[in-house]
Amino acid sequence: MKVTDRALQVWRIRRALRWVRPGDHVLDVGCSDGALFRVAGARIASGVGVDLLESADWRGGAHAVRRTGTFPAAIPAGETFDAITMLAVVEHVEEPELKEWAHECVRLLRPGGRVIITVPSPAVDTILHVAMRLRLLDGMETHQHHGFDPSRVPELFGAAGLRLEASKRFQLGFNNLFVLTLP
C-alpha cells in the first residue's frame, strides 16, 4: 500500500471512529491488516476483524482478533457487537448480497448499536485509475467496483430495520459516510 493509499485509509478510519463509542466491541468487515484497530487504540474495548483474504501483516493489536472468511459466516452464532464498520467495502458487494448483509447487521448488533459505512462516489473509479497509472495509488481491488450508488445505502440498510443517524460527504466530496442505528 502506497503512502497516499494509507493516508486516505486513515482519513476514512478517523471519520468513522467519531461514531464509535468509547468501550465499544467492534466488528470491522473488510479489516485487511487491522488498521482500524491500530488507529482506535484504547478507545474500543475489543474488536473482531473479518476479511476474505489472508493477511500476513495483521497488526490489529492485543485487543482485536482477525478471522479470515466471508461476512457473516465468519461470526459465530450468539456473538454481538456495539458497532460494525464497513469502510470502503460495500461498493464491492452486489446488491442482493448487500441486502443479506444489512439483515445480518441487525442480528449482530446490540440494541442502540451502529453500522458505520464509507463508500466512494462512482466518479472515484476514474480518478483512481488515473492515480494508479501515475503510480500515486495502488487502488486496491478497484476492478471489483460495480458502480454502486452510495445513495442506496440508507434504503438497503433501512429496509432491514436500521435507522439513518447521519449521512455526510468527506474527502473533498468523493467519499460518503453513513451511520445507521439499531433502535
Side-chain angles (χ1 to χ4, degrees):
M1 192 181 278
K2 294 193 183 314
V3 172
T4 312
D5 292 294
R6 186 67 71 187
L8 292 170
Q9 178 192 45
V10 170
W11 190 351
R12 276 193 307 273
I13 290 169
R14 288 192 173 133
R15 184 59 62 126
L17 285 174
R18 293 177 184 174
W19 296 93
V20 174
R21 296 174 189 99
D24 274 359
H25 179 51
V26 177
L27 170 63
D28 184 24
V29 178
C31 67
S32 187
D33 67 357
L36 180 128
F37 300 115
R38 286 194 307 280
V39 174
R43 177 183 178 82
I44 64 172
S46 58
V48 174
V50 173
D51 203 292
L52 188 58
L53 305 173
E54 292 283 341
S55 175
D57 59 343
W58 169 255
R59 298 180 318 274
H63 63 291
V65 298
R66 186 183 198 282
R67 298 182 188 146
T68 300
T70 60
F71 174 77
I75 308 302
E79 189 167 11
T80 59
F81 300 90
D82 300 300
I84 299 172
T85 58
M86 298 177 179
L87 311 183
V89 171
V90 301
E91 66 274 14
H92 300 273
V93 181
E94 296 291 341
E95 194 166 307
E97 186 177 4
L98 198 53
K99 288 178 183 180
E100 292 174 32
W101 282 26
H103 286 282
E104 290 299 321
C105 286
V106 169
R107 182 181 66 80
L108 293 169
L109 276 178
R110 295 174 182 156
R114 291 177 169 153
V115 176
I116 303 155
I117 296 170
T118 65
V119 59
S121 164
V124 168
D125 287 349
T126 302
I127 296 166
L128 286 175
H129 290 293
V130 170
M132 287 164 49
R133 276 191 219 110
L134 295 173
R135 300 194 192 291
L136 298 172
L137 293 169
D138 285 333
M140 301 179 307
E141 290 98 28
T142 56
H143 62 281
Q144 295 175 357
H145 292 191
H146 59 277
F148 180 74
D149 179 1
S151 70
R152 299 278 298 133
V153 169
E155 178 186 337
L156 291 168
F157 284 78
L162 295 165
R163 180 182 52 82
L164 182 65
E165 184 174 343
S167 173
K168 300 177 186 260
R169 297 187 80 164
F170 68 105
Q171 290 181 335
L172 306 175
F174 290 113
N175 215 327
N176 301 271
L177 171 82
F178 297 96
V179 181
L180 302 113
T181 306
L182 181 64

